[in-house]
Amino acid sequence: MAVELNDCGAAVAIPAITSPFDITIQSPGSKSLTNRALVLAAIAEGASTLEGALVSDDTQAIAAALSVLGAGAMAIDDRFCITGCNGRFPG
């Protein structure tokens, strides 16, 4: 179990994640959030779909770069489909 300090300097125990989790987060389309989510999905294990993503020149460039590195990333309408590399880019 990791221990971190909160804003007041007090120790806070952070339990380790012991099993995979399934999560859905909804936020408005944002270039910054979309780019971050693309990178996280690319290093994750398995397939991820980002729905409601901001599809722009910048986010498509990040998706193309991730594809060159070996993570499958494709924009379809307002979503991205990404195949993660489980923490290691093969390319």
Side-chain angles (χ1 to χ4, degrees):
M1 182 174 302
V3 176
E4 303 236 348
L5 299 180
N6 66 14
D7 293 340
C8 298
V12 177
I14 301 172
I17 297 172
T18 58
S19 62
F21 53 90
D22 184 14
I23 187 168
T24 301
I25 300 173
Q26 271 190 308
S27 65
S30 160
K31 180 172 60 173
S32 178
L33 292 176
T34 298
N35 284 337
R36 291 173 187 167
L38 284 167
V39 171
L40 290 173
I43 62 174
E45 180 180 1
S48 298
T49 301
L50 306 179
E51 295 182 354
L54 179 65
V55 179
S56 69
D57 290 343
D58 290 350
T59 57
Q60 288 183 328
I62 293 289
L66 293 170
S67 291
V68 169
L69 290 172
M74 177 178 22
I76 302 170
D77 297 324
D78 69 339
R79 61 191 163 111
F80 283 93
C81 299
I82 302 99
T83 303
C85 294
N86 195 24
R88 301 195 106 164
F89 290 113

